Structure formats: C-alpha cells, structure tokens
Amino acid sequence: MTGKHGFVLGVDLKPIEPFTQEYIRTIVADLTEPDIADQILSFLPRRPDVVLCDAAPNITGVWEVDHARQIDLATKAMVIAQNLLRPGGNFFVKVFQGDLLDDFILHVKDAFEEVKIVKPPASRSKSSEEYILALGLKSGQSETNENPA
Ligand SMILES: C[S@@+](CC[C@H](N)C(=O)[O-])C[C@H]1O[C@@H](n2cnc3c(N)ncnc32)[C@H](O)[C@@H]1O
C-alpha cells in the first residue's frame, strides 16, 4: 500500500519470509526489549507515519492471562509508537477484550487526538480480539527531528 515511495519495516520474534519489494524489510527482534525503539529507528529512513502492531503472545487458553499479556504487548507497542512516530502520526494495535482494556484506551486517548475501537471483517466475530485505531499523535508526545538517522 505504501508503494515504492514509502518504506515498511516488519518486526517479529520469528524470521518473516522475505518480500521481493526493496522498500519492505523485516528484522527479528523482541518488541519488549528496552532499546527496541532505537533498533527500529536505525533501519528507518525517517520517522514513521504509522506504527501497526498485530503482535500476540502464545495463547494459554486462560482468558485473564492472555488478556493481560496482550495488553502488556499493546502497551509496549504504544511506547514504541510514542517514541518513533512523526508528530500527527497514527497507531493501530491488537488488543483482547477484558478488565484492563478501558485503562489502556484512556492512555491511548491521552496521547492521540482520535481513538476508535475497530473490529475488522477479517477478525472472527467470536474472537475477543479487536483493534485500537489511534489517529494524530498529540504534540509533545513525539521527538520532532525530521530525519534522526
Ligand atoms: C497474530 S501473529 C501476527 C501475524 C501477522 N500479522 C501476519 O499476518 O502474518 C502474532 C505474531 O506476534 C509475534 N510476537 C509475539 N510476541 C512478540 C514480541 N515480543 N516481539 C515481536 N513479535 C512478537 C509472534 O511471533 C507472531 O508472529
């Protein structure tokens, strides 16, 4: 979707099958590592317009555990988004429904102008998964360097 004028960096614990397009790169990394934002930035030509996180932990089947782990990953992704996004940038992240979700959404609302809960058609209706769409990183939430690389 970005086309060759954009750049996409994929991050996963497991190797991702390489893409043929030269503007798509992937790295193996853990998004919970403390220096992950710097690692990601070192591969980017500029601050990103969008941070999109579909990461999910291995499912245990214990609902409270899976929900808490998912919110923890989503929280880590939001810190990455706040550190990396250009001012006004957008963030999209997978969450599981549960007790911790409202607090997480409040944090996202503090940082972004507009926040919506989205259930894409591709997500099974019986699944507790849904996505938070956060538009417009508020000023003061991002470094302002245009080209930090
Ligand atoms: C639902 S799958 C994502 C599928 C992907 N969107 C796709 O279309 O192929 C969740 C992924 O999150 C990754 N993941 C889980 N914890 C992670 C972490 N701490 N850091 C990076 N990736 C992680 C898993 O390795 C897994 O590939």
Side-chain angles (χ1 to χ4, degrees):
M1 291 182 78
T2 66
K4 61 185 176 191
H5 298 298
F7 182 78
V8 178
L9 182 75
V11 181
D12 201 292
L13 287 174
K14 295 179 289 192
I16 301 170
E17 199 174 319
F19 287 78
T20 53
Q21 299 94 326
E22 63 193 21
Y23 54 88
I24 303 177
R25 283 198 63 182
T26 64
I27 58 170
V28 174
D30 182 344
L31 66 83
T32 67
E33 287 170 18
D35 68 340
I36 186 66
D38 289 338
Q39 282 187 57
I40 292 172
L41 199 49
S42 72
F43 287 93
L44 298 178
R46 56 185 175 271
R47 290 191 175 277
D49 301 306
V50 176
V51 169
L52 187 158
C53 180
D54 190 36
N58 289 330
I59 300 300
T60 65
V62 180
W63 176 76
E64 292 86 351
V65 172
D66 295 333
H67 166 64
R69 286 184 179 169
Q70 187 62 37
I71 294 292
D72 187 49
L73 269 182
T75 303
K76 300 271 176 11
M78 189 170 96
V79 172
I80 294 169
Q82 286 177 282
N83 280 301
L84 292 189
L85 280 172
R86 65 160 173 80
N90 303 321
F91 174 50
F92 188 70
V93 62
K94 187 209 292 275
V95 292
F96 295 155
Q97 290 160 2
D99 299 348
L100 304 171
L101 184 55
D102 284 351
D103 266 359
F104 176 68
I105 291 172
L106 283 179
H107 286 302
V108 182
K109 283 184 171 169
D110 278 345
F112 289 86
E113 299 288 350
E114 190 181 347
V115 177
K116 294 178 187 169
I117 300 172
V118 179
K119 180 83 172 168
S123 178
R124 284 177 298 119
S125 55
K126 282 186 182 161
S127 156
S128 72
E129 120 185 322
E130 52 194 19
Y131 291 79
I132 307 298
L133 174 64
L135 301 174
L137 181 68
K138 290 179 183 172
S139 57
Q141 296 283 339
S142 168
E143 302 294 328
T144 50
N145 295 349
E146 272 304 303
N147 187 356

